[in-house]
Amino acid sequence: MGDHHHGPAKGLSRWLFTTNHKDIGTMYLWFSFAMFILGGAFAMIIRAELFQPGMQLVEPAFFNQMTTLHGLIMVFGAIMPSFVGLANWMIPMMIGAPDMALPRMNNWSFWILPPAFLILASTLFMEGGAPAFGWTFYAPLSTTYAPPSVTYFIFSIHVLGLSSIMGSINIIATVMNMRAPGMTYMKMPLFVWTWLITAFLLVAVMPVLAGAVTMMLMDIHFGTSFFSAAGGGDPVLFQHVFWFFGHPEVYIIILPAFGVVSQIIPAFSRKPLFGYASMVYATAAIAFLSFIVWAHHMYTVGMPIAGELFFMYATMLIAVPTGVKVFNWITTMWRGSMTFETPMLFCIGFLVLFTIGGFTGLMLSIAPADFQYHDSYFVVAHFHYVMVAGAVFSMTAAVYYWLPKWCGRMYNETMGKTHFWISFIGFNVTFFPQHFVGLAGMPRRIPDYALQFTDFNMMSSIGAFIYGASQILFLYNVIATIVAGKPTSEEKVWDGAEGLEWTVATPAPYHTFETPPAVR
Amino acid sequence: MSDQATTHEKYYVPEKSAMAALATIGLITSTFGAATAMNQATFGNGESSFTTMYIGLCIFAATLFSWFRTTIKENLAGMNSAQLKKSYVIGMFWFIFSEVMFFAAFFGALFYVRTLAGPWLAGEGEGGAWNHLLWEGFQYSWPMMQTPQEAVGGVSNQVMANMGTFTSAHKSMAFAEVDAWYQWLPMWNTIILLTSSGTVHIAHEGLLSGNRSRFNLWLGITVALGVIFLSLQVVEYYEAYAHFGLTLNSGIYGSTFFMLTGFHGFHVAMGTIMLAIQLIRSLKAGHFTSDDHFGFEASSWYWHFVDVVWVGLFLFVYIL
Amino acid sequence: MGFISERLRAIVVHAAALIATVLSGGALASGSKVNQMDMSPGVTATGQAIYDLHTAILWICIVIGVVVFGVMFYSIIYHRKSKGYKAANFHESTSVEIAWTVVPFLILIGMAVPATSTLIQVYDTEEAEMDILVTGYQWKWKYEYLNENGENVSFFSNLRTAQDEIYNTEDKGEHYLLEVDEPVVIPVDTKVRFLVTANDVIHSWWVPELAVKRDAIPGFVNETWTRADEVGIYRGQCAELCGKDHGFMPIVVNVVSKEDYAAWLETKQAEAAEIKALMAQTFTMDELVARGKNVYQGYCAACHGMNGEGGLGKAIAGSAIATGDLTKHLDIGVNGVPGTAMQAFGGQMNDVDMAAVITYQRNAFGNNMGDMVQPIDVFNHKKG
Ligand code: HEA
Ligand code: HEA
Ligand code: CUA
Ligand SMILES: [Cu+2]
């Protein structure tokens, strides 16, 4: 085995066979960006078709495939892998570990993802077309009435679920077992905490998703009747199983984002994070509550009123711990000594827009009002505020924040700020009007709409192109930095940054903590 | 810092390895093959062939074999620190937790149809006041011996579109004949599985006390019990299909029955194989010492988990 | 180029219109107006209650937002390094943290109370004066009037917007996509209970102005209700993704005075009687083809194409079935093809229409079979 103080191997095998957390993190990050472009391209098709009333570009059946694949690819292909990539890169460095706890499995978790998505994307070219039943794939549209490609969809969900479970087990084992001596749980950076809790959520709910798609598989091919009333089953059963996974899933998307923001805001406020302990408890509270609110996606299915009330109250409660987080971030900024580099700008953007998305979430949680909001564009606006301005903005902030540490080069600040402002404006132009059309009665997942919704849809489409185009700037900036950015070798790239990752050399060496650092 | 390094063992980070890539090829080939074969069977006119799936599974199994072999060799070579071993323990624990959640999905489905959907279909409760418009004459009972479809007189009489034909069993798997209780397989299966949990524990104690032959004997008995359980399960399935008319098509009762017992049976099979491998390791290679036997320990945890699931099954699928 | 400049002109025109409405505060009056920006209270007491609730929560959120962001922006403006502000070093305060846990909790309770009572109101389906069974189909709605005096009244309601409008070869009408061939008619000031179910996949029956949205689940019947205070035509859409034409299955509810309702019911019953009479009649080829053409366009064209060229369904032009055995063809019409999108239309249309559409398929699109089906054949076929 020899010693491994040497750097990375050369060529393709470095990536294919690697066990190094940084290599794997890098692969996750690039993969997720590729998926972001693919999912974004689908979104552009959606927005182009919705630019005007009438069918212009695509057929309704294809439009539904776009909606479905856009949602699936953004959630499972872009956002989740991006945060797993970040976890791979940062967690070992943040807790003073040499690598992830189970490095070979780590490589496997990554490598099953690309083929799983290849299979998913290839359904577009299959007879009958790609899945067209929405990312929530409600039965029986996704069973009896689905195109044959649904079988491939089911297996790709199985595979990417496996990837998530193994990735999460790895993170849990790393955090529980690999902390440097002295790094107690309550000294861990918040990003590590939020990921620990996220990983727990993933291990708990991905198997349930696997169960849901397995039931679909059986209904489609083996004659069972889980989702058919004729045999004593219930289509609504599918929704319960799906959302038992699906709601925690949205916090899986946002908790790591909370972690990132909790690292960056203190750095640029030059002031320690306010309320560290309450941040941890709030995260745990959100995770706990996420298990008992799933049916707020199903207020209109005809649940008995007692169920309706229970899920309404439980959902509303989530505003409390989330509020604690928002207040803590703002109090961290309060009387700080702030500067506004690109990562900080994206965090402030996150803070404002996520909170707005949270407010609309709270409105949605009010069951009687949700009878009017449900399945309208109001919901679409809500979740893009929390997922794009929430997860994507914070991920962008994370890349700008840690990129200098990763590659030892500084990105172009002007370009970064420009990226932020175009994104911020483009994003709001895209999604703010969707609140209006939603309230005025425009259902979601429709390829064509009534005339009174025209203007706001046009606005939304224009915003979407602007927001999408701004991502070119991001991509360019990142590549330019890696190839030819201004070299920096300062260990602490940002003067206000705290944490072990800033104590090692820049760029971060291939193997970081061969011997554990001392933590006081 | 240097004093830290002496108190803290070096963590073993393996060299690069082709195992993950190979396992991916196996996994993807087998799932792709399975999907294709199922689609051919359900939608296609052509013949359905599972060959691709089998090839993938072989690659997968071979890779896993070599993966575990490498890990074991590394351990024997003393490369694994106590810390790494703890990582394995944590990994196994959370893996079992994920399995628990997988079963939870199916148990959840069972509870849902039994307590909510079923009665609603029969027009009972808050969710079903008007369902008699669709399923006139449907009476709810569990096990569901008549599907709503049958109650209205078959597919052609049903108001809803045709989503398949569901004909229920004429005999359920629940305990019925008091005088022939000794013929009731689930009870024997329960006894067998509970016993096997005990025998694997005795084997563990043998190992802990350094008594190799006791370990081998009781582990052998455990594996044998696992095989007997599986054989009885096969007999039961045969009975269900051939004599009770209970099939995957038998409405929600058949669906939940076969999915729960089927996945459980699959897990028993896995557990039996795992334990058998540990037995072979012990017999052929003299692996395991009283203080280092993670392979066996992990398998036995898994076995206990499978056992606990069975108790749940026995209660909610067969008895209650 | 022409395409692009046309788009550009459209953008400018719409932008101007948009600015105008936004400046005028949006159209907040009842009825889904052009560029409406807020929920409409609609024409029911429940709708009003939901609207009030919505407005109240919205304002609470806005106020909280203003306070929270106000603090944040104050800090952003004044506590910056470029102004030489030195960072403080506090990072904990139990009392503040307790306060901002408790206060939001109390605010939430304040919201939960009216929400609960409104929900109870929405759920109170008791004491309805009439029942209508609403069934979702891919992609149309069926309405059946259940009470004694509504017997036999049952019809489908299809999208009426022409394909030409949708594909931009014709100008779009005022109620583009929100118009049906036959609206559901209910009396004003009457508590109407809707029993909502579906035939194939899940749909959702949503009319914003009546404040009703309820999922249509195949195999289960959901209850909901409304009581419209004002006569008028209210439009909605299917709100649950239900396949290809989910965007094309509108709902139109015609709320009329009680007298008009009684009159409407009477004509409907007469129509039903008429159909019964027609069932016994024998038609000529021309009559059948003419009627069949309408039926085809209403029911079949969505899948089989306007010219029988196929689409989601197989091509009818030159199809082996439509140019083959007549009984087989009729059987597919009546019983569908299980496991495919081809549904059993036997229960969805009367025997006259079925006879007509089969005859039409066999004698249109170049399928010159020359044979025909009479209503009585359909009747006999259904009986088996
Ligand atoms: C990152 C993902 C994410 C996050 C974080 C959230 C957060 C929340 N969501 Fe959202 N949601 C989605 C993603 C997310 N959601 C998605 C994808 C869907 C649609 C799925 C689909 O159908 O396709 C959805 C849909 C959805 C629905 C169903 C709507 C419908 O289909 O009818 C509901 C209903 O209750 C809901 C509620 C909430 C609530 C209450 C929160 C809360 O967590 C928000 C809490 C935050 C705040 C409230 C703001 C900050 C708090 C304060 C400043 C304190 C003070 C405030 C008060 C006291 C008011 N969401
Ligand atoms: C985290 C997840 C995520 C993200 C990031 C996004 C990002 C975007 N989403 Fe997505 N969306 C979902 C999750 C997400 N969405 C989900 C779950 C649904 C529900 C699906 C369902 O109903 O089943 C949905 C549905 C949805 C709809 C409703 C569709 C319908 O109901 O029919 C719309 C419509 O406007 C939309 C738009 C957009 C846009 C414009 C973006 C943009 O932010 C995308 C921007 C990115 C790019 C454009 C790619 C990168 C850029 C380039 C490669 C540069 C080149 C581009 C140009 C020059 C333009 N989304
Ligand atoms: Cu019917 Cu959507
Ligand atoms: Cu949710």
Side-chain angles (χ1 to χ4, degrees):
Chain A
M1 290 295 137
D3 75 354
H4 22 259
H5 286 263
H6 49 69
K10 297 278 175 309
L12 186 66
S13 79
R14 163 176 176 189
W15 302 104
L16 209 51
F17 299 158
T18 185
T19 51
N20 180 284
H21 73 103
K22 299 193 182 79
D23 283 351
I24 296 172
T26 305
M27 290 194 296
Y28 263 114
L29 289 171
W30 278 111
F31 173 74
S32 75
F33 197 79
M35 288 296 112
F36 181 60
I37 290 178
L38 185 64
F42 294 160
M44 294 300 116
I45 296 177
I46 295 175
R47 280 314 333 163
E49 177 57 56
L50 292 177
F51 183 71
Q52 279 189 324
M55 301 305 303
Q56 282 92 13
L57 293 173
V58 297
E59 285 299 310
F62 188 72
F63 182 92
N64 290 345
Q65 298 172 27
M66 289 293 101
T67 300
T68 307
L69 290 182
H70 164 66
L72 287 170
I73 285 181
M74 282 301 195
V75 169
F76 293 106
I79 302 300
M80 289 170 64
S82 73
F83 282 115
V84 179
L86 204 56
N88 260 296
W89 250 102
M90 301 318 300
I91 288 181
M93 278 166 61
M94 284 178 160
I95 61 174
D99 203 300
M100 296 292 281
L102 305 160
R104 273 187 295 240
M105 189 171 87
N106 200 14
N107 189 28
W108 196 34
S109 314
F110 171 74
W111 274 108
I112 59 181
L113 273 185
F117 279 94
L118 200 64
I119 292 178
L120 187 62
S122 73
T123 57
L124 273 171
F125 306 102
M126 290 178 184
E127 208 187 312
F133 30 63
W135 87 283
T136 51
F137 46 101
Y138 283 6
L141 189 62
S142 63
T143 55
T144 320
Y145 292 83
S149 62
V150 63
T151 317
Y152 295 93
F153 156 83
I154 288 174
F155 280 109
S156 71
I157 294 283
H158 273 131
V159 172
L160 58 89
L162 192 64
S163 161
S164 287
I165 291 173
M166 291 192 301
S168 308
I169 289 179
N170 218 334
I171 288 171
I172 295 179
T174 307
V175 176
M176 289 177 70
N177 197 32
M178 307 282 286
R179 281 167 288 123
M183 173 70 78
T184 59
Y185 279 109
M186 287 315 261
K187 277 189 190 154
M188 295 193 313
L190 252 157
F191 178 72
V192 179
W193 254 118
T194 53
W195 242 115
L196 178 63
I197 292 172
T198 304
F200 164 73
L201 286 179
L202 274 166
V203 182
V205 301
M206 287 315 274
V208 176
L209 177 68
V213 291
T214 305
M215 290 180 213
M216 280 168 59
L217 187 76
M218 297 305 287
D219 269 17
I220 294 170
H221 295 293
F222 301 99
T224 56
S225 57
F226 285 105
F227 309 131
S228 174
D234 185 350
V236 175
L237 167 62
F238 174 84
Q239 299 181 22
H240 282 291
V241 183
F242 178 84
W243 287 116
F244 185 83
F245 146 81
H247 185 79
E249 169 68 25
V250 308
Y251 293 113
I252 287 166
I253 288 172
I254 207 66
L255 291 184
F258 288 170
V260 166
V261 173
S262 306
Q263 300 300 128
I264 296 179
I265 287 186
F268 295 96
S269 304
R270 293 171 183 75
K271 189 162 154 282
L273 182 72
F274 186 86
Y276 173 92
S278 64
M279 282 300 215
V280 173
Y281 302 139
T283 312
I286 293 173
F288 168 75
L289 287 173
S290 75
F291 284 109
I292 54 166
V293 300
W294 75 86
H296 64 219
H297 296 272
M298 305 163 52
Y299 285 140
T300 60
V301 298
M303 267 187 296
I305 192 165
E308 204 99 343
L309 287 172
F310 171 79
F311 286 111
M312 175 169 87
Y313 299 147
T315 305
M316 292 172 75
L317 269 184
I318 298 187
V320 174
T322 318
V324 167
K325 286 188 158 284
V326 170
F327 301 141
N328 280 339
W329 289 321
I330 288 176
T331 316
T332 305
M333 289 157 74
W334 185 254
R335 296 182 52 207
S337 175
M338 273 188 274
T339 51
F340 302 93
E341 286 86 347
T342 313
M344 183 64 166
L345 285 181
F346 270 99
C347 282
I348 294 173
F350 165 96
L351 200 50
V352 174
L353 300 178
F354 170 80
T355 305
I356 295 176
F359 287 151
T360 53
L362 186 78
M363 294 169 72
L364 290 166
S365 75
I366 307 290
D370 185 66
F371 282 101
Q372 294 285 44
Y373 306 136
H374 178 66
D375 267 342
S376 76
Y377 259 81
F378 192 77
V379 178
V380 177
H382 156 66
F383 67 71
H384 283 92
Y385 265 78
V386 282
M387 296 211 292
V388 179
V392 178
F393 271 30
S394 81
M395 190 61 218
T396 315
V399 171
Y400 281 119
Y401 183 61
W402 280 299
L403 192 62
K405 175 60 55 178
W406 294 341
C407 63
R409 290 165 189 277
M410 199 61 199
Y411 63 85
N412 180 326
E413 191 64 66
T414 319
M415 212 190 294
K417 284 183 172 147
T418 316
H419 171 214
F420 168 73
W421 284 110
I422 304 182
S423 292
F424 185 83
I425 293 167
F427 171 83
N428 284 295
V429 174
T430 312
F431 294 107
F432 209 77
Q434 295 187 356
H435 292 115
F436 303 148
V437 284
L439 291 174
M442 177 168 161
R444 59 193 278 214
R445 294 166 167 170
I446 56 174
D448 193 4
Y449 49 84
L451 301 179
Q452 69 263 33
F453 307 127
T454 309
D455 294 342
F456 286 130
N457 269 293
M458 222 174 237
M459 210 169 138
S460 182
S461 294
I462 293 171
F465 302 141
I466 297 174
Y467 177 74
S470 77
Q471 306 306 314
I472 302 178
L473 212 56
F474 180 47
L475 183 63
Y476 176 80
N477 202 351
V478 170
I479 292 178
T481 308
I482 294 171
V483 179
K486 195 165 109 298
T488 164
S489 57
E490 243 174 292
E491 285 169 5
K492 211 163 152 181
V493 180
W494 310 106
D495 60 351
E498 292 293 336
L500 286 178
E501 79 262 36
W502 304 110
T503 62
V504 302
T506 301
Y510 195 57
H511 297 284
T512 321
F513 294 105
E514 302 256 328
T515 46
V519 179
R520 268 151 289 127
Chain B
M1 258 206 202
S2 54
D3 57 338
Q4 287 280 350
T6 47
T7 53
H8 218 74
E9 281 175 278
K10 203 167 156 74
Y11 199 81
Y12 173 58
V13 178
E15 287 292 280
K16 59 186 190 139
S17 141
M19 249 118 50
L22 287 171
T24 304
I25 293 173
L27 182 72
I28 298 295
T29 314
S30 54
T31 50
F32 192 82
T36 308
M38 286 179 191
N39 268 10
Q40 282 164 338
T42 307
F43 304 110
N45 315 322
E47 233 166 275
S48 138
S49 156
F50 280 91
T51 316
T52 319
M53 185 186 90
Y54 290 129
I55 294 173
L57 282 180
C58 289
I59 300 175
F60 189 53
T63 313
L64 281 193
F65 180 79
S66 109
W67 192 324
F68 282 118
R69 203 175 61 158
T70 312
T71 317
I72 291 165
K73 272 192 184 157
E74 285 167 0
N75 189 28
L76 293 178
M79 283 144 78
N80 295 2
S81 62
Q83 201 189 4
L84 177 62
K85 287 175 185 163
K86 197 172 158 211
S87 286
Y88 286 143
V89 169
I90 296 172
M92 189 66 194
F93 174 84
W94 288 98
F95 168 65
I96 290 180
F97 176 70
S98 79
E99 292 272 44
V100 170
M101 292 308 293
F102 181 75
F103 275 97
F106 288 92
F107 274 106
L110 179 71
F111 297 146
Y112 178 82
V113 291
R114 286 187 59 171
T115 52
L116 298 171
W120 289 346
L121 279 169
E124 297 160 21
E126 232 187 296
W130 291 87
N131 285 334
H132 60 84
L133 286 176
L134 303 175
W135 310 111
E136 204 187 336
F138 172 64
Q139 301 278 325
Y140 172 72
S141 65
W142 193 265
M144 191 180 279
M145 301 308 285
Q146 192 190 36
T147 60
Q149 185 176 69
E150 289 171 314
V152 296
V155 176
S156 49
N157 285 331
Q158 130 194 347
V159 184
M160 201 172 83
N162 179 4
M163 296 187 190
T165 311
F166 309 108
T167 42
S168 29
H170 42 81
K171 194 159 179 275
S172 88
M173 281 290 162
F175 183 52
E177 286 143 278
V178 182
D179 39 329
W181 60 268
Y182 49 85
Q183 287 182 1
W184 195 49
L185 287 180
M187 184 197 64
W188 291 108
N189 265 346
T190 310
I191 294 171
I192 289 165
L193 220 49
L194 286 179
T195 314
S196 76
S197 243
T199 55
V200 85
H201 184 70
I202 299 176
H204 192 190
E205 284 186 340
L207 189 58
L208 287 177
S209 59
N211 189 338
R212 168 82 50 180
S213 55
R214 183 165 150 215
F215 172 71
N216 288 343
L217 173 69
W218 287 97
L219 186 55
I221 294 175
T222 312
V223 172
L225 287 173
V227 172
I228 296 173
F229 175 92
L230 286 169
S231 320
L232 286 184
Q233 198 73 351
V234 170
V235 173
E236 189 182 34
Y237 277 17
Y238 168 77
E239 290 253 290
Y241 263 81
H243 302 304
F244 293 10
L246 179 63
T247 70
L248 277 170
N249 258 299
S250 307
I252 194 66
Y253 178 52
S255 308
T256 48
F257 176 82
F258 282 107
M259 291 308 281
L260 277 162
T261 57
F263 273 115
H264 178 263
F266 174 73
H267 282 79
V268 175
M270 289 294 115
T272 309
I273 293 172
M274 282 159 71
L275 288 174
I277 291 174
Q278 314 312 321
L279 180 61
I280 295 170
R281 282 175 67 188
S282 168
L283 287 173
K284 293 272 163 183
H287 286 175
F288 306 130
T289 60
S290 58
D291 58 357
D292 188 10
H293 47 260
F294 177 70
F296 165 74
E297 238 181 335
S299 313
S300 78
W301 291 336
Y302 194 77
W303 194 252
H304 289 308
F305 147 72
V306 164
D307 203 28
V308 171
V309 172
W310 177 264
V311 174
L313 271 180
F314 186 60
L315 275 177
F316 295 109
V317 175
Y318 292 101
I319 303 262
L320 297 176
Chain C
M1 267 329 272
F3 180 78
I4 295 186
S5 63
E6 197 186 299
R7 290 296 126 107
L8 278 179
R9 194 166 45 240
I11 294 177
V12 174
V13 171
H14 284 277
L18 192 60
I19 291 167
T21 35
V22 172
L23 287 183
S24 67
L28 293 174
S30 133
S32 187
K33 298 280 157 49
V34 173
N35 295 335
Q36 181 182 326
M37 294 166 76
D38 195 8
M39 187 190 280
S40 113
V43 292
T44 63
T46 333
Q48 186 66 46
I50 291 176
Y51 175 79
D52 292 344
L53 190 58
H54 155 78
T55 310
I57 329 163
L58 180 60
W59 279 108
I60 294 176
C61 287
I62 290 175
V63 170
I64 298 176
V66 167
V67 173
V68 171
F69 298 146
V71 173
M72 188 185 85
F73 281 113
Y74 179 89
S75 167
I76 287 179
I77 292 167
Y78 293 103
H79 304 156
R80 41 168 89 209
K81 196 178 172 201
S82 56
K83 291 204 163 179
Y85 198 88
K86 292 269 170 304
N89 199 24
F90 61 91
H91 58 84
E92 240 168 11
S93 163
T94 313
S95 50
V96 173
E97 289 176 63
I98 289 178
W100 68 41
T101 310
V102 172
V103 171
F105 185 73
L106 296 177
I107 297 177
L108 291 175
I109 292 178
M111 294 180 184
V113 172
T116 305
S117 64
T118 309
L119 189 67
I120 290 171
Q121 188 182 344
V122 172
Y123 260 70
D124 178 18
T125 52
E126 298 295 302
E127 286 163 27
E129 291 157 75
M130 58 183 281
D131 295 319
I132 300 178
L133 180 62
V134 181
T135 311
Y137 285 77
Q138 281 180 325
W139 290 277
K140 53 186 168 272
W141 295 98
K142 182 189 190 185
Y143 299 101
E144 287 168 81
Y145 288 66
L146 293 186
N147 302 49
E148 328 78 66
N149 54 355
E151 250 178 297
N152 288 329
V153 176
S154 138
F155 51 88
F156 280 87
S157 182
N158 294 282
L159 174 73
R160 207 181 56 195
T161 305
Q163 295 286 309
D164 287 335
E165 287 180 46
I166 295 175
Y167 285 90
N168 311 310
T169 46
E170 222 176 67
D171 282 348
K172 299 187 190 342
E174 190 193 350
H175 298 297
Y176 177 68
L177 293 187
L178 297 179
E179 50 196 347
V180 297
D181 54 0
E182 191 154 11
V184 57
V185 178
I186 58 169
V188 75
D189 290 329
T190 308
K191 185 163 185 176
V192 182
R193 180 162 46 194
F194 295 103
L195 307 172
V196 187
T197 182
N199 180 61
D200 32 47
V201 300
I202 301 178
H203 304 263
S204 188
W205 201 76
W206 181 25
V207 184
E209 306 275 273
L210 300 181
V212 172
K213 184 185 284 134
R214 198 40 73 98
D215 289 1
I217 317 275
F220 289 81
V221 181
N222 273 331
E223 281 175 82
T224 183
W225 67 277
T226 194
R227 180 203 294 271
D229 296 336
E230 272 169 52
V231 168
I233 295 175
Y234 304 106
R235 296 167 199 276
Q237 277 175 276
C238 176
E240 182 63 60
L241 179 60
C242 53
K244 176 173 80 71
D245 282 347
H246 160 63
F248 304 93
M249 55 180 292
I251 297 153
V252 179
V253 181
N254 201 352
V255 178
V256 298
S257 69
K258 290 188 175 157
E259 301 79 60
D260 288 353
Y261 175 72
W264 174 83
L265 205 58
E266 218 161 276
T267 28
K268 270 291 161 194
Q269 271 155 340
E271 257 172 47
E274 198 183 326
I275 289 285
K276 259 203 186 127
L278 284 179
M279 303 265 215
Q281 216 170 306
T282 309
F283 294 85
T284 68
M285 179 66 113
D286 287 348
E287 284 170 335
L288 285 174
V289 168
R291 192 182 184 99
K293 184 168 186 196
N294 278 333
V295 180
Y296 182 83
Q297 289 178 349
Y299 284 88
C300 325
C303 298
H304 291 290
M306 270 320 216
N307 299 309
E309 71 275 19
L312 185 59
K314 289 184 184 163
I316 299 295
S319 125
I321 301 282
T323 60
D325 182 30
L326 193 145
T327 324
K328 185 84 203 293
H329 189 176
L330 177 58
D331 186 67
I332 289 185
V334 172
N335 294 319
V337 183
T340 73
M342 180 61 207
Q343 326 155 10
F345 284 95
Q348 296 187 35
M349 58 177 74
N350 61 54
D351 297 356
V352 184
D353 286 348
M354 179 58 76
V357 76
I358 299 294
T359 308
Y360 175 71
Q361 285 193 341
R362 299 180 76 77
N363 295 288
F365 326 128
N367 297 349
N368 294 315
M369 293 303 291
D371 50 3
M372 54 180 161
V373 184
Q374 292 295 343
I376 183 73
D377 302 331
V378 180
F379 182 78
N380 288 335
H381 186 88
K382 277 190 189 164
K383 270 182 64 180

